[in-house]
Amino acid sequence: MRKNWWKILAAVFVSASVIGGFMGPVPVLPILNETIRNVYFHVPMWFTMITLYLISVIYSIKYLSSGKPEHDLIAVESVNTGIIFCFLGLLTGMQWANITWGAPWPNDPKLNGSAIATLMYLAYLVLRNALDEEQKRARISAVYNIFAFPILVVLIYILPKMTDSLHPGSGGNSNFSEIDMDNYMRPVFYTAVVGWILTGVWISTLRYRIRLLENKANKID
Amino acid sequence: MSLLKQVQSLVAKDLALEWRSKNAINSIVLYLVSTVFVCYQAFESVDTLVWNALFWIILLFASINAISRSFVQESQYRQLYYYSIASPKAIILSKIIYNIILMVFLSIVAYVIYSIIFKNPVGDPLLYFFAVLLGSISFATVFTMVSGISSKTGNNSTIMAILAFPVIIPLLILLLKLSSNALKGLDRASSEREIITLLAINVITVTISLLLFPYLWRD
């Protein structure tokens, strides 16, 4: 129980944000209308994805310095879970964009950036498949993971700020929190973010433990 | 031998090898000329937007072809020999420098050929030329490390493209923006941010390559 408190917290926070997100009052804004509630679901997906990729890079660095196969497993399972959250983020975003901007895929630097980031991590998985020997696979994919990460940061944080974007907070648009988020929305939003990040980490630890068990079973044979 | 000395002699070795066979240079130049010519046959005349995009696409594919071979053209045994006499940092640094020299040469050739065959509509030629140089340096720094990674896998060319494209796209976006500014002949101060960002990315890439290559080469 002592170790599981954060899993309970994740479940409580996610359900609280779902209930609070659908039932609570939202500011009435033109165009956005009720779709503003999507901010509770769309934005946390990206935060979770970035957190998972960050965990993956940290464990790739740890793997290079320690050589423990467990670290490599954590890195790859974080990427696997991160890709799921990336697709969820794209899905919720495309729905939202279809309603507010009129097309599911407008030419927006954040959209393109996230799509390219997905390509980067899919390439990471392809690279892993191309290498047979386990230690070599772990080491070389860790190198690629670390090599790609700073460019990912440029892609997601620096480039959108330099160009015009439909997203808030970039290219001269004002931030969400400045105009739209009133005092009721903010706590719900942060609850959702924390809840989803914890859920993402939980999923990846589950996957990691399954992989550990599989490895154990394979060694007995 | 100090690091600088090692890098110097390794670059000289690479250049001498290339000079003797002239294999890579000739084939890539031929590749460039034929690609430009195919594009000319297909498009005949282009507006400035397409002109810029087409040039960078041609340069991108030529540079992937040129650099993907930087770690596989020499035999495994000879590489083992290099690793035993030089530090891994010297090896990656020398490869990066050699590829920068190669890419600068190739991109100048590409620019000249492309400008002759298609009409050159550039408004600020000096800035455009600077963008081309910066682009070739960026391609060299990024692709050298990626080719090092992909050389460790068996089927080289596909993996190289898959790994390299997502990493180069952010740089390519910046380069396209910088070069289209030059194309329109905008004030040079307006493209300052792109230049600084590109230089910063290059510095980061080279630093990370230096840090990571020692883990990559040992087998």
Side-chain angles (χ1 to χ4, degrees):
Chain A
M1 205 55 214
R2 231 166 8 98
K3 277 185 179 173
N4 288 335
W5 62 270
W6 59 278
K7 293 172 187 170
I8 297 165
L9 198 69
V12 170
F13 271 22
V14 167
S15 18
S17 73
V18 168
I19 295 167
F22 281 119
M23 308 291 279
V26 287
V28 182
L29 294 170
I31 305 173
L32 274 175
N33 298 326
E34 290 289 314
T35 64
I36 198 172
R37 292 179 200 278
N38 202 357
V39 82
Y40 300 134
F41 304 99
H42 171 62
V43 185
M45 296 299 150
W46 296 116
F47 283 14
T48 314
M49 179 195 84
I50 287 292
T51 314
L52 287 167
Y53 288 166
L54 192 66
I55 292 172
S56 161
V57 170
I58 290 168
Y59 275 92
S60 282
I61 295 171
K62 271 191 163 176
Y63 176 79
L64 284 185
S65 64
S66 73
K68 281 185 189 155
E70 288 87 2
H71 290 162
D72 177 55
L73 278 183
I74 295 177
V76 68
E77 289 308 337
S78 307
V79 167
N80 278 333
T81 322
I83 285 175
I84 298 171
F85 276 92
C86 178
F87 277 115
L88 287 175
L90 279 180
L91 219 64
T92 50
M94 274 158 73
Q95 259 183 330
W96 202 4
N98 203 11
I99 294 164
T100 51
W101 298 335
W105 199 281
N107 189 11
D108 185 86
K110 276 205 177 168
L111 272 170
N112 295 329
S114 50
I116 296 160
T118 319
L119 283 183
M120 218 179 259
Y121 281 96
L122 289 175
Y124 168 79
L125 295 179
V126 169
L127 175 67
R128 290 187 70 89
N129 285 335
L131 293 157
D132 289 329
E133 197 190 321
E134 262 170 47
Q135 283 187 341
K136 196 176 168 186
R137 172 168 62 199
R139 203 180 64 238
I140 290 168
S141 59
V143 167
Y144 182 69
N145 196 0
I146 300 166
F147 183 71
F149 192 73
I151 293 175
L152 178 81
V153 173
V154 171
L155 197 63
I156 291 186
Y157 286 109
I158 299 174
L159 280 189
K161 290 203 166 52
M162 289 176 67
T163 44
D164 297 323
S165 170
L166 296 164
H167 278 88
S170 49
N173 288 6
S174 55
N175 251 322
F176 244 127
S177 41
E178 283 164 16
I179 46 162
D180 306 330
M181 285 247 206
D182 57 10
N183 285 332
Y184 174 77
M185 279 186 79
R186 213 162 291 155
V188 179
F189 174 68
Y190 289 126
T191 316
V193 168
V194 174
W196 282 109
I197 287 177
L198 288 177
T199 314
V201 174
W202 187 7
I203 295 172
S204 59
T205 50
L206 284 177
R207 294 182 64 116
Y208 161 66
R209 283 159 67 190
I210 291 170
R211 285 286 288 269
L212 273 189
L213 289 176
E214 276 175 358
N215 281 2
K216 216 173 175 183
N218 286 343
K219 265 168 201 155
I220 290 167
D221 285 343
Chain B
M1 262 204 292
S2 70
L3 186 74
L4 213 64
K5 235 8 206 305
Q6 289 183 354
V7 171
Q8 223 172 14
S9 42
L10 280 169
V11 172
K13 181 267 301 174
D14 271 338
L15 286 174
L17 271 181
E18 190 50 57
W19 185 251
R20 272 179 211 156
S21 69
K22 297 188 189 67
N23 179 19
I25 291 276
N26 283 346
S27 58
I28 295 294
V29 168
L30 202 59
Y31 177 91
L32 268 174
V33 174
S34 41
T35 321
V36 171
F37 204 69
V38 166
C39 288
Y40 179 66
Q41 293 297 323
F43 286 93
E44 299 210 338
S45 75
V46 292
D47 57 355
T48 47
L49 191 74
V50 180
W51 190 89
N52 193 20
L54 204 58
F55 176 70
W56 283 108
I57 290 171
I58 291 170
L59 200 60
L60 175 70
F61 279 91
S63 65
I64 281 205
N65 270 321
I67 298 178
S68 67
R69 309 181 316 164
S70 55
F71 284 93
V72 286
Q73 62 181 358
E74 291 174 83
S75 71
Q76 284 267 307
Y77 304 107
R78 212 195 283 180
Q79 288 198 12
L80 196 65
Y81 172 63
Y82 296 144
Y83 292 139
S84 63
I85 58 168
S87 77
K89 282 197 176 93
I91 289 171
I92 185 74
L93 211 56
S94 73
K95 284 285 181 202
I96 289 175
I97 292 169
Y98 168 71
N99 280 333
I100 287 175
I101 296 170
L102 182 72
M103 276 312 300
V104 166
F105 173 73
L106 280 178
S107 56
I108 291 171
V109 171
Y111 186 50
V112 171
I113 295 170
Y114 192 70
S115 307
I116 292 171
I117 293 186
F118 288 90
K119 260 186 233 117
N120 188 341
V122 173
D124 186 349
L126 206 63
L127 186 62
Y128 199 90
F129 189 68
F130 180 68
V132 171
L133 286 186
L134 205 57
S136 55
I137 293 170
S138 313
F139 286 163
T141 54
V142 172
F143 289 160
T144 307
M145 190 64 188
V146 175
S147 83
I149 293 171
S150 73
S151 73
K152 297 285 170 190
T153 66
N155 45 351
N156 209 282
S157 55
T158 338
I159 288 283
M160 173 79 192
I162 290 172
L163 295 181
F165 279 139
V167 183
I168 202 69
I169 288 173
L171 291 155
L172 210 58
I173 292 171
L174 286 168
L175 285 168
L176 278 169
K177 212 160 164 227
L178 174 62
S179 54
S180 77
N181 281 356
L183 208 59
K184 288 175 201 148
L186 294 186
D187 184 27
R188 281 182 197 169
S190 63
S191 17
E192 217 168 63
R193 266 203 317 189
E194 278 82 17
I195 294 172
I196 292 170
T197 317
L198 272 170
L199 287 175
I201 296 176
N202 273 317
V203 171
I204 295 170
T205 321
V206 173
T207 322
I208 291 188
S209 303
L210 281 177
L211 288 174
L212 288 179
F213 193 70
Y215 295 101
L216 189 66
W217 68 267
R218 60 173 178 213
D219 254 320

